[in-house]
Amino acid sequence: MPERAPLRMLFGRDAWERVRGRIQEAGLAVQPLLLEPDGSLADGDFQAAWFSPELFALKQDEAFLAAVLGCPTVRWMQSGRSGFDHPAFAQLARRGVRLSRSTAPAPAIAEYVIASVFDRFQRGPERRLAQQAQEWRPLPFKEIAGSRWLCVGFGEIGREVGRRARALGAHVTGVRRSGGDSDCADLVVTPDRMGDALAAADVVVLSVPLTPDNDGSYGRDFFAGFRAGALFVNVGRGQLLDEPALRAALDSGRVGHCVLDVTRVEPLPRGEWQWTHPQVTLTAHTSGIGSGLIGRTDALLIENLGRYLSGGPLLHELNPENFA
Amino acid sequence: MPERAPLRMLFGRDAWERVRGRIQEAGLAVQPLLLEPDGSLADGDFQAAWFSPELFALKQDEAFLAAVLGCPTVRWMQSGRSGFDHPAFAQLARRGVRLSRSTAPAPAIAEYVIASVFDRFQRGPERRLAQQAQEWRPLPFKEIAGSRWLCVGFGEIGREVGRRARALGAHVTGVRRSGGDSDCADLVVTPDRMGDALAAADVVVLSVPLTPDNDGSYGRDFFAGFRAGALFVNVGRGQLLDEPALRAALDSGRVGHCVLDVTRVEPLPRGEWQWTHPQVTLTAHTSGIGSGLIGRTDALLIENLGRYLSGGPLLHELNPENFA
């Protein structure tokens, strides 16, 4: 049998240095092409690319995607992200490039969500003020046990949130188009049936993927269905929201508080209302960057590399119809 | 069969009003004596007493215990608290009064502990500063998944903490004198064997009961065994600690941060170092007062009342040897 030529694959330098040992141990025939920290890139075509998470920290994500788009021979890109709304994904998909996304951020995002809800339920801001003022003030708090959660979007992120909330004794309803059952929820409903659960929810978590169809679609009607004073957490995308409608819902008390890890424009410019609204907790697209992210990301890359090289089905491959 | 006289039992007024319906529904023959909100108390002896949680909020806890101590006919007191270190407990036990304590605070305390650890791991203070400064700063955080916890004291509180930490993916070691196994821990060790787990722990949670034997016994030697920078949470009693030794361990970095819900003197006077130390999170004996506390407390009272009246064994009865 003739030896196959190794797979020529584009990596960021740091990501390659981290995984090269594991790729060699696994006997995977890969020839790397590297995007260097200074932005330089060796000449040559490649067939695959690993869009790894640290490209964002290095601000090389756009350069990396430009290199992939500029390469006519690329057949597959493994992403380190959950979302697939960057326009490059659609362009690649239309050219027939296979795309697989990552489930590695989901456990971190779920911890972020649970932690954020705890801080509100436990009255964190009041506790901190009491300590600052040196006032011994026992503040009764709301338990997660017995609270009702609605996870709008019940992919990996929603399910990881639901699993943890249930383990803490919450009642969880998941919302997804396919309906069905799940160990991570007490009940799963389709979007057209979520009204009752929304009206009963203490916590509403949004984690649907952004698509061309749902830009701005969580607005006045959505918030009008909330139980007054409920807590809203957005770990999907800022573009999902009608942000002025959210602001109005916060001002009216319909939404009691919101936790936003994403905004329509990122980084959010100084002076935007979300920075200073008393009922907004804002973080900088941080929820996925937990300490376990890289380990999970690398493990998925190795797994999918083996599958790709052996012609097997990829884990978490995106359906081209997502981009039709 | 002659009808038995009803059990004469001391209640705070609010507590009685809350549970009277359930006591009557359950057909339990109870004649209440009430401590009124103004401090007045009807004349008459009683055989039992319910030391319910809201007596603390009403600042009637000492008056209630004084009434119990002053009554020569009392045979049983159900407490709403986990701890049994108040001197009245020992006095009553020596007189042969049966004492049963409460497991109702434990789930709330466990939520407090998990929430407190999340706030540190998620870099809550830095996130809040970034929002205040309107700086878009993605801050990588430590996940609970994969972290190592040591629960010193593995009664109801330690087990409720361990159950939740494990559900979130942590590795949990429980410490108790009886050793054995538990679903709430990966490993249970006896106190003389906890050194290795202490040296490996990211989080150390103290929830042993205060007894005459362990006052101030968590001090220099204990903290010297910590992994440098570990997080310490005390939800037991302030008297368990050698507080100056804790302060020294914080100043040296041996203990990275501590979360204190209890202090040797409560309320902690203004000006004490714990209020302002940058590595101390201080709350006002708050951890048990979750929204589910009263429901769980009442349910345990009804259960134990039934058992007492029918001569069955009480749940969570204290062994008189605890006070020998």
Side-chain angles (χ1 to χ4, degrees), chain B residues 74-114:
Chain B
V74 66
R75 307 301 309 139
W76 168 48
M77 183 172 79
Q78 171 68 43
S79 174
R81 302 211 116 183
S82 305
F84 46 89
D85 49 295
H86 191 289
F89 282 66
Q91 290 175 258
L92 292 167
R94 282 191 217 105
R95 280 164 43 184
V97 176
R98 295 173 70 184
L99 299 168
S100 44
R101 68 198 191 88
S102 179
T103 53
I109 296 173
E111 291 208 11
Y112 170 97
V113 171
I114 301 288

Side-chain angles (χ1 to χ4, degrees), chain B residues 14-95:
Chain B
D14 290 2
W16 168 251
E17 297 298 344
R18 204 175 59 237
V19 296
R20 62 186 300 174
R22 291 178 65 180
I23 287 176
Q24 283 157 3
E25 270 170 41
L28 301 169
V30 172
Q31 180 184 341
L33 275 87
L34 301 180
L35 177 63
E36 300 290 347
D38 66 6
S40 66
L41 179 63
D43 276 346
D45 284 345
F46 46 89
Q47 296 121 26
W50 185 33
F51 186 49
S52 55
E54 78 290 337
L55 293 166
F56 291 88
L58 297 167
K59 299 193 194 305
Q60 292 198 300
D61 48 315
E62 292 297 336
F64 189 96
L65 290 174
V68 177
L69 284 168
C71 174
T73 54
V74 66
R75 307 301 309 139
W76 168 48
M77 183 172 79
Q78 171 68 43
S79 174
R81 302 211 116 183
S82 305
F84 46 89
D85 49 295
H86 191 289
F89 282 66
Q91 290 175 258
L92 292 167
R94 282 191 217 105
R95 280 164 43 184

Side-chain angles (χ1 to χ4, degrees), chain A residues 111 134 141 143-144 271 291, chain B residues 111 134 141 143-144 271 291:
Chain A
E111 290 208 11
Q134 303 195 21
F141 62 85
E143 295 174 7
I144 285 184
S291 47
Chain B
E111 291 208 11
Q134 302 194 21
F141 62 85
E143 295 174 7
I144 286 184
S291 46

Side-chain angles (χ1 to χ4, degrees), chain A:
Chain A
M1 212 167 93
E3 198 168 315
R4 263 177 64 175
L7 180 72
R8 292 170 59 83
M9 188 163 192
L10 181 66
F11 292 84
R13 162 68 70 178
D14 290 3
W16 168 251
E17 297 297 344
R18 205 175 59 237
V19 296
R20 61 186 299 173
R22 292 178 66 180
I23 287 176
Q24 283 157 6
E25 271 170 38
L28 301 170
V30 172
Q31 181 185 340
L33 274 87
L34 301 180
L35 176 63
E36 300 290 346
D38 65 6
S40 65
L41 179 63
D43 277 345
D45 283 347
F46 47 89
Q47 295 120 27
W50 186 33
F51 186 49
S52 56
E54 78 290 336
L55 293 166
F56 292 89
L58 297 167
K59 298 192 194 305
Q60 292 197 301
D61 47 316
E62 292 298 335
F64 188 96
L65 290 175
V68 176
L69 284 169
C71 175
T73 55
V74 66
R75 305 301 311 138
W76 168 47
M77 183 171 81
Q78 171 69 44
S79 174
R81 302 211 115 182
S82 305
F84 46 89
D85 49 295
H86 190 289
F89 283 64
Q91 291 175 258
L92 291 167
R94 282 192 216 105
R95 279 163 43 182
V97 177
R98 295 173 69 183
L99 298 169
S100 44
R101 67 198 192 89
S102 181
T103 53
I109 296 172
E111 290 208 11
Y112 169 97
V113 171
I114 301 288
S116 300
V117 172
F118 262 134
D119 194 57
R120 298 304 308 173
F121 278 21
Q122 298 256 328
R123 301 169 73 179
E126 287 163 276
R127 279 189 188 164
R128 292 184 283 272
L129 285 175
Q131 181 175 359
Q132 270 189 327
Q134 303 195 21
E135 278 171 17
W136 186 266
R137 206 144 62 90
L139 293 163
F141 62 85
K142 182 171 174 64
E143 295 174 7
I144 285 184
S147 63
R148 298 185 77 91
W149 294 47
L150 182 69
C151 295
V152 182
F154 215 58
E156 293 85 15
I157 296 169
R159 292 198 305 275
E160 293 286 348
V161 170
R163 182 198 314 283
R164 286 162 179 76
R166 287 194 84 196
L168 294 166
H171 179 281
V172 174
T173 301
V175 182
R176 64 181 172 200
R177 279 181 291 183
S178 59
D181 290 321
S182 170
D183 285 347
C184 303
D186 296 276
L187 182 70
V188 178
V189 298
T190 51
D192 55 310
R193 298 286 178 92
M194 77 175 189
D196 289 349
L198 182 60
D202 301 291
V203 178
V204 179
V205 180
L206 183 63
S207 69
V208 299
L210 176 66
T211 66
D213 296 333
N214 63 11
D215 190 297
S217 65
Y218 294 87
R220 201 175 55 175
D221 291 349
F222 178 59
F223 297 120
F226 274 47
R227 171 174 163 173
L231 175 58
F232 175 58
V233 184
N234 186 10
V235 286
R237 283 286 184 271
Q239 294 93 320
L240 294 167
L241 300 187
D242 174 343
E243 291 178 336
L246 171 62
R247 187 180 191 174
L250 288 165
D251 289 340
S252 75
R254 173 57 56 182
V255 176
H257 192 90
C258 73
V259 176
L260 304 176
D261 189 46
V262 287
T263 51
R264 182 169 288 271
V265 178
E266 294 182 9
L268 185 69
R270 284 168 176 273
E272 292 290 335
W273 65 273
Q274 295 96 322
W275 287 114
T276 51
H277 195 289
Q279 298 309 337
V280 175
T281 300
L282 177 70
T283 54
H285 210 133
T286 298
S287 59
I289 53 176
S291 47
L293 175 66
I294 293 296
R296 292 186 296 266
T297 303
D298 291 357
L300 177 58
L301 170 75
I302 303 291
E303 172 68 25
N304 261 355
L305 248 182
R307 288 166 174 255
Y308 187 82
L309 289 170
S310 66
L314 295 172
L315 294 180
H316 314 302
E317 183 166 1
L318 289 164
N319 187 330
E321 288 175 17
N322 281 311
F323 305 102

